[in-house]
């Protein structure tokens, strides 16, 4: 496969076409009709083979690009892409030599087309000779187990999984079909659904931060719950999810945790929640469905965050939030109140100067 060269910066060649052949396996070329159907879009019929992906500014006649943010419409005007994924409102700005693939959701279409050209590599069935597999562990023959993995007795791993190098799968852990467990992950006291992706270095199922204070010091409380990762959950690199103490810690189906997220014991996330990097959620807090949490935000324990709430970056949430709440600041307050206070402070500071 040829390497697409781009600009030289320092000693590194910057490629103008996405997906370096050194690191990513590309399929294709694919006919325009297949790309359009994969995008769930509509395009004029034309005999065109598309070989890859590229940004608007760099794309050539055999590449696909997209426009989702209208701020970059000027780049659309000048693109040389063979095809571009665009909202119907922007079709008039697509150059005549470029095929417009019309879709109401260009970014989602881009995700689908990118997966067409760069599908996730399938597992290579088998257990590496250096892996340590305890008696009583059950591993589907279609699963790949990488070098230096440890899989303890009673663990069950379903079909089509990939277990990365140096991962540790604890006793009794169950992993559903088509899961990906990254390098150096540790799983204990956990039940994973299907298509779960745990990124490298994550720690799942360890004891939560639970203890009683006595006159003689601290007395650890047994943590007797589990961690449940429902279908299609992703857990970012070096994130930690404590197992429950008196009930399970649950991450709802389709939820995405970024890198370096801390989830305390007994926490429950609903469906399709998004938790951005360096967020900390204290024990027994409940996030209902479709909650979004910005980077470095923190939540006290035993709270209920209503469905569809949005918590801004670095917010400190110390009380329950109603469904659909949008908050910023520490302590967290409504966005409108937060910015009104900022404006007032600026006005006072200006007056003093």
């Amino acid at each position: 496969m040829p390497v697409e060269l781009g600009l030289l910066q320092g000693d590194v060649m910057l490629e103008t076409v996405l997906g370096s052949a050194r690191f990513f396996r590309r399929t294709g070329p694919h006919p325009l009709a297949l790309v359009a159907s994969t995008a769930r879009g509509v395009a004029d019929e034309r005999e065109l083979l598309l070989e890859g992906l590229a940004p608007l500014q760099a794309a050539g006649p055999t590449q696909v690009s997209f426009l989702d943010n209208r701020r970059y419409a000027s780049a659309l005007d000048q693109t040389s892409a063979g095809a571009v994924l665009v909202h119907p409102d922007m079709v008039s700005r697509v150059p005549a030599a470029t095929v417009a693939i019309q879709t109401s959701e260009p970014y989602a279409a881009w995700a689908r087309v990118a997966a067409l050209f760069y599908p996730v590599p399938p597992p290579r069935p088998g257990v590496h000779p250096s892996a340590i597999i305890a008696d009583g562990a059950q591993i589907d023959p279609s699963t790949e187990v990488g070098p230096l993995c440890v899989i303890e007795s009673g663990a069950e791993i379903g079909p089509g999984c990939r277990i990365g190098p140096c991962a540790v799968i604890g006793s009794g852990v169950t992993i559903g079909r088509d899961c990906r467990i990254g390098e150096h992950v540790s799983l204990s006291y956990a039940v994973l659904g299907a298509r779960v992706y745990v990124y490298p270095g994550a720690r799942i199922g360890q004891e939560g931060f639970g203890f009683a204070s006595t006159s003689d010091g601290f007395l650890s409380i047994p943590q007797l719950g589990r961690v449940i990762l429902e279908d299609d959950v992703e857990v970012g690199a070096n994130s930690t999810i404590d197992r429950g103490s008196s009930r399970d810690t649950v991450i709802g189906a389709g939820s995405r945790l970024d890198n370096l997220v801390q989830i305390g014991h007994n926490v429950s996330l609903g469906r399709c929640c998004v938790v951005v990097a360096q967020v900390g959620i204290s024990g027994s807090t409940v996030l209902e469905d479709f909650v979004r949490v910005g980077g470095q935000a923190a939540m006290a324990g035993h709270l209920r965050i209503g469905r569809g709430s949005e918590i801004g970056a670095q917010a400190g949430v110390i009380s329950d939030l109603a469904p659909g709440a949008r908050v910023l600041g520490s302590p967290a307050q409504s966005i409108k109140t937060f910015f009104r206070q900022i404006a007032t402070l600026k006005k006072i500071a200006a007056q003093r100067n």
Side-chain angles (χ1 to χ4, degrees):
M1 181 179 296
V3 176
E4 297 85 357
L5 299 181
L7 302 175
L8 186 65
Q9 181 172 314
D11 294 327
V12 178
M13 183 67 71
L14 302 180
E15 295 179 353
T16 57
V17 176
L18 300 178
S20 168
R22 181 181 292 272
F23 301 110
F24 303 99
R25 184 181 65 85
R26 186 168 72 209
T27 67
H30 297 295
L32 172 65
L34 175 60
V35 174
S37 64
T38 300
R40 301 180 188 175
V42 177
D44 293 337
E45 293 186 10
R46 188 181 301 185
E47 292 295 325
L48 175 62
L49 283 178
L50 296 164
E51 297 179 352
L53 313 174
L56 286 168
Q57 301 89 332
T62 61
Q63 275 91 45
V64 185
S65 193
F66 81 108
L67 176 73
D68 184 55
N69 190 329
R70 294 167 186 257
R71 292 167 52 190
Y72 303 105
S74 60
L76 176 62
D77 296 336
Q78 302 171 26
T79 190
S80 297
V84 62
L85 303 159
V86 292
H87 191 277
D89 293 348
M90 300 298 292
V91 170
S92 62
R93 301 190 65 165
V94 177
T98 298
V99 178
I101 302 175
Q102 300 181 51
T103 169
S104 60
E105 297 181 317
Y107 200 48
W110 176 251
R112 296 184 186 102
V113 171
L116 170 66
F117 282 97
Y118 296 96
V120 175
R124 294 173 292 183
V127 177
H128 193 276
S130 65
I132 300 174
I133 312 297
D135 293 339
Q138 299 180 34
I139 303 171
D140 190 275
S142 62
T143 278
E144 174 185 346
V145 178
L148 302 175
C149 290
V150 176
I151 301 179
E152 297 181 354
S153 178
E156 299 179 10
I157 302 176
C161 293
R162 170 181 285 174
I163 312 299
C166 300
V168 178
I169 312 300
S171 178
V173 168
T174 63
I175 300 175
R177 66 179 308 115
D178 299 322
C179 292
R180 290 183 288 167
I181 309 301
E183 299 88 338
H184 293 278
V185 166
S186 65
L187 296 175
S188 58
Y189 305 91
V191 177
L192 280 62
R195 300 172 302 279
V196 172
Y197 187 3
V198 182
Y199 285 74
R203 306 296 181 207
I204 295 174
Q206 61 283 336
E207 288 189 0
F209 197 54
F211 54 86
S213 297
T214 73
S215 58
D216 297 323
F218 301 120
L219 187 62
S220 294
I221 299 173
Q223 306 287 287
L224 302 177
R226 305 170 298 174
V227 172
I228 309 297
L229 303 182
E230 296 183 349
D231 294 350
D232 302 300
V233 163
E234 293 195 7
V235 178
N238 293 323
S239 291
T240 56
I241 304 177
D242 297 339
R243 71 177 183 264
S245 58
S246 57
R247 63 175 187 266
D248 293 333
T249 300
V250 179
I251 310 298
S255 291
R256 301 291 179 95
L257 310 185
D258 197 0
N259 303 333
L260 296 168
V261 168
Q262 158 64 16
I263 304 292
H265 59 204
N266 303 339
V267 166
S268 178
L269 271 61
R271 294 182 301 115
C272 296
C273 292
V274 174
V275 182
V276 182
Q278 299 183 353
V279 165
I281 303 178
S282 298
S284 300
T285 284
V286 175
L287 278 63
E288 297 180 356
D289 297 345
F290 302 104
V291 170
R292 295 174 178 263
V293 186
Q296 296 187 331
M299 277 159 265
H302 302 273
L303 302 181
R304 177 169 287 274
I305 309 302
R307 177 187 173 98
S309 293
E310 297 182 7
I311 297 171
Q314 297 189 327
V317 182
I318 59 174
S319 59
D320 294 349
L321 296 180
R326 301 177 67 219
V327 299
L328 271 175
S330 186
Q333 53 201 305
S334 73
I335 288 178
K336 184 181 293 186
T337 300
F338 176 82
F339 282 115
R340 185 183 298 124
Q341 291 178 356
I342 294 296
T344 301
L345 287 173
K346 286 183 176 180
K347 185 181 295 184
I348 292 172
Q351 290 171 350
R352 290 187 175 180
N353 291 335

